[in-house]
Amino acid sequence: MSKKFFIKTFGCQMNVYDSHRIAIMLENFGFEETSVQSEADLVLFNTCHIREKAAEKVFSDLGRAYLIKQERAVLNKDTIIGVTGCVVQAEDEQIAKRAPYVDFALGPLTYHRLPEILTEISRQKGQTLIDTDFPAEAKFDFLPQNRAEGGCSFLAVQEGCNNFCTYCVVPYTRGAEYSRPVEEILEEARHLIKTGTLEINLLGQNVNSYHGEDKSGKERNFAYLLNKVAELEGLKRLRYTTSYPADVDDDLIECHHNLKQLMPYLHLPVQSGSNKILKAMNRRHNREQYLEKVEKLMTANPDLRMSSDFIVGFPGETDEDFEQTLSLVNQVQYIQAFSFKYSRRAGTPAAVMINQVEEKVKKQRLDTLQNLLFDYQTKFNMSCVGKEFDVLFEQNGRHKGQLIGRTPYMQNLHAKADKSLLNKIVRVRVESATTNSLCGKVV
Ligand code: SAH
Ligand code: SF4
Ligand code: F3S
């Protein structure tokens, strides 16, 4: 019987992508995936360090994994416990101290060394093997070929960040910006399409600062890459996340006018509507520049709608600053958004700023902001009732005979549909809507 692995993923889409590539690597190594943790011979947590809560969750999950490991030991079954992802990069010593039973810990840039580590573990039982290098070799050169899991696939084109927003751990956990060469990305995209992908979501911490080399060694921008990917035969839909507002250039804006594969939905995080706070956050854009980019994008494609990320309660944020955020939301009318209370992250400049905002105030502001965001989201969803959309069905619904898919605007839509329509793009008429989803009928 083949050995089994269980993997739990925290954090952003880049981690989802990494977990998928790790899973392929483990399958090639003779493991089979299971969704039942207690039957796994290898338990892996792919972790996120972005906010305190996310990072702390890992330690409670590890504690539980250790209990299961002990229970399995009574039945003479070995369990390897591993940690990958951003917590490893930031807290490798704490992992070794607080969870000494962890067999290995690999950073986001070293997980391609997993097969070596597994071989090593069988030789050195009882030690925690840690590898948090920022290696000179690119991990992508060492990973087995990616393949589609369904109709939608992520494809990492860029990793790391040089922006150093004062609240953010990513430049420390994912390191400096690295762009994969154009050809390598196209090769991966072709494989994804060949194995069933209709939609590709190009990923990067700061995807639109992409500057990879083409065949001739010439540096190319993100718009060039988008055009190249859009030319691939068989690809129906194209998305990209996450972009940095200051790096949205005219070439990219033109893509939203020219490329029919590019979906009319863009995640463009603004964080705050106050120039004072944006400056303290070290964002390279102010409110006016952000709004100008949004306007240009929406002129290029009038169907385009926006989503964003917000942080409330950043150090020094006053009621007036917060009002500015609300007024920006009213101006842009986002159709979806993520919003968070500022979380103090050790080692970042904002963590030691003296004007921290009280927890109670943060909570109030988050409630107010989320109510406003939900209003716009609901309003947009309601406005879709009666309209027809192309929906890519991605999974089975909760009820039999039902499928769940996504509209071009990333809304979840469920409809009565035959299983044969899974991983296909189907025309659907929207019949009802709530804040979080749509319900439709295949036409
Ligand atoms: N690279 C992306 C964001 C990556 S992190 C960008 O620049 O937009 C995803 C989101 O988490 C951020 O947009 C921000 O809103 C939030 N975030 C990051 N650090 C945070 C912190 N210390 N506290 C609260 N939210 C944070
Ligand atoms: Fe973090 Fe800012 Fe980089 Fe985004 S741009 S990953 S928020 S430092
Ligand atoms: Fe989290 Fe790392 Fe992504 S900190 S948000 S998993 S880049």
Side-chain angles (χ1 to χ4, degrees):
M1 238 172 51
S2 69
K3 296 213 173 228
K4 294 197 162 135
F5 74 94
F6 168 89
I7 183 161
K8 180 164 175 182
T9 309
F10 301 82
C12 63
Q13 289 154 326
M14 189 69 98
N15 258 15
V16 176
Y17 173 83
D18 289 340
S19 288
H20 179 54
R21 307 235 30 193
I22 288 171
I24 294 174
M25 216 173 4
L26 287 171
E27 279 163 18
N28 288 359
F29 202 71
F31 281 88
E32 192 188 306
E33 186 160 6
T34 173
S35 55
V36 184
Q37 190 180 335
S38 58
E39 59 175 44
D41 307 281
L42 167 62
V43 173
L44 194 60
F45 297 103
N46 194 12
T47 62
C48 171
H49 199 247
I50 201 82
R51 284 169 291 274
E52 194 182 347
K53 259 206 200 126
E56 271 309 306
K57 181 86 180 49
V58 175
F59 287 99
S60 58
D61 275 3
L62 280 174
R64 217 173 71 82
Y66 185 46
L67 289 180
I68 297 174
K69 180 181 172 118
Q70 287 167 315
E71 282 164 20
R72 282 170 50 90
V74 176
L75 306 169
N76 257 330
K77 290 178 180 166
D78 263 352
T79 315
I80 298 172
I81 301 178
V83 191
T84 53
C86 291
V87 172
V88 175
Q89 204 62 46
E91 301 193 37
D92 52 340
E93 282 169 23
Q94 284 90 322
I95 290 175
K97 223 186 278 163
R98 289 175 63 181
Y101 47 81
V102 165
D103 295 288
F104 69 88
L106 290 169
L109 304 183
T110 52
Y111 68 77
H112 59 293
R113 295 177 182 164
L114 185 55
E116 275 167 62
I117 286 267
L118 289 175
T119 313
E120 192 68 9
I121 284 173
S122 52
R123 274 189 259 136
Q124 310 193 18
K125 276 215 171 109
Q127 276 185 46
T128 307
L129 303 175
I130 297 179
D131 189 345
T132 51
D133 251 12
F134 285 120
E137 85 257 17
K139 69 179 172 215
F140 299 105
D141 297 346
F142 295 83
L143 295 172
Q145 189 54 254
N146 198 0
R147 63 171 141 74
E149 233 178 337
C152 298
S153 299
F154 291 130
L155 201 176
V157 304
Q158 177 280 337
E159 187 164 12
C161 183
N162 297 346
N163 283 323
F164 291 94
C165 300
T166 51
Y167 50 82
C168 185
V169 296
V170 172
Y172 312 96
T173 64
R174 294 271 171 174
E177 268 178 22
Y178 166 76
S179 296
R180 298 175 71 189
V182 175
E183 263 321 301
E184 190 183 305
I185 293 164
L186 294 177
E187 181 61 18
E188 188 171 327
R190 281 187 210 105
H191 264 266
L192 290 170
I193 296 167
K194 210 162 80 186
T195 49
T197 289
L198 299 173
E199 172 181 312
I200 291 181
N201 194 337
L202 301 178
L203 292 185
Q205 264 83 39
N206 198 355
V207 73
N208 59 330
S209 77
Y210 177 86
H211 52 84
E213 287 181 358
D214 70 6
K215 259 191 228 154
S216 66
K218 188 169 175 204
E219 220 177 75
R220 298 294 192 165
N221 67 9
F222 187 59
Y224 177 88
L225 182 69
L226 272 180
N227 275 289
K228 284 285 169 199
V229 177
E231 278 169 18
L232 296 174
E233 214 185 295
L235 186 72
K236 303 284 187 243
R237 291 176 157 195
L238 186 53
R239 303 179 188 275
Y240 62 93
T241 16
T242 297
S243 10
Y244 188 77
D247 294 333
V248 173
D249 58 15
D250 289 344
D251 289 351
L252 182 53
I253 292 170
E254 211 178 290
C255 290
H256 284 273
H257 182 72
N258 293 337
L259 299 179
K260 67 173 188 337
Q261 294 88 340
L262 200 55
M263 290 291 102
Y265 170 87
L266 183 62
H267 185 61
L268 194 62
V270 67
Q271 315 299 352
S272 167
S274 151
N275 281 339
K276 182 189 97 191
I277 296 299
L278 287 170
K279 195 158 182 224
M281 286 175 163
N282 192 33
R283 299 285 288 184
R284 286 186 287 111
H285 60 87
N286 61 27
R287 177 193 176 97
E288 291 73 27
Q289 288 161 333
Y290 178 87
L291 287 170
E292 195 190 314
K293 297 271 162 93
V294 170
E295 200 185 303
K296 277 185 163 178
L297 283 159
M298 293 184 71
T299 307
N301 178 3
D303 291 332
L304 187 70
R305 295 293 175 272
M306 313 294 299
S307 84
S308 184
D309 290 345
F310 296 91
I311 296 176
V312 298
F314 184 83
E317 187 187 68
T318 61
D319 286 340
E320 290 74 45
D321 294 317
F322 178 61
E323 286 296 327
Q324 293 277 300
T325 298
L326 298 177
S327 96
L328 185 113
V329 171
N330 285 325
Q331 232 168 311
V332 181
Q333 310 198 356
Y334 298 96
I335 64 163
Q336 263 172 61
F338 300 95
S339 44
F340 314 98
K341 286 186 284 183
Y342 167 69
S343 170
R344 252 171 128 157
R345 308 306 287 131
T348 62
V352 290
M353 288 180 183
I354 47 168
N355 40 7
Q356 300 287 327
V357 173
E358 250 184 289
E359 188 58 31
K360 201 178 80 191
V361 176
K362 283 189 206 172
K363 192 177 173 319
Q364 275 167 358
R365 288 183 188 160
L366 187 66
D367 286 347
T368 308
L369 175 62
Q370 290 187 336
N371 281 334
L372 185 64
L373 290 168
F374 284 151
D375 279 351
Y376 282 112
Q377 187 172 324
T378 312
K379 210 164 118 191
F380 180 72
N381 285 355
M382 293 296 181
S383 77
C384 295
V385 176
K387 291 188 182 148
E388 285 181 14
F389 292 105
D390 289 331
V391 172
L392 172 46
F393 283 119
E394 288 173 48
Q395 50 176 313
N396 289 309
R398 225 183 303 149
H399 305 290
K400 225 182 138 202
Q402 202 186 50
L403 295 179
I404 301 180
R406 294 224 200 224
T407 69
Y409 293 103
M410 280 296 236
Q411 297 146 299
N412 274 321
L413 179 143
H414 40 99
K416 237 196 242 158
D418 190 72
K419 266 211 298 270
S420 63
L421 297 179
L422 202 58
N423 299 321
K424 302 235 162 65
I425 294 175
V426 181
R427 196 83 181 154
V428 175
R429 185 183 182 82
V430 179
E431 296 194 315
S432 64
T434 64
T435 305
N436 293 314
S437 68
L438 306 178
C439 187
K441 193 170 179 190
V442 175
V443 293

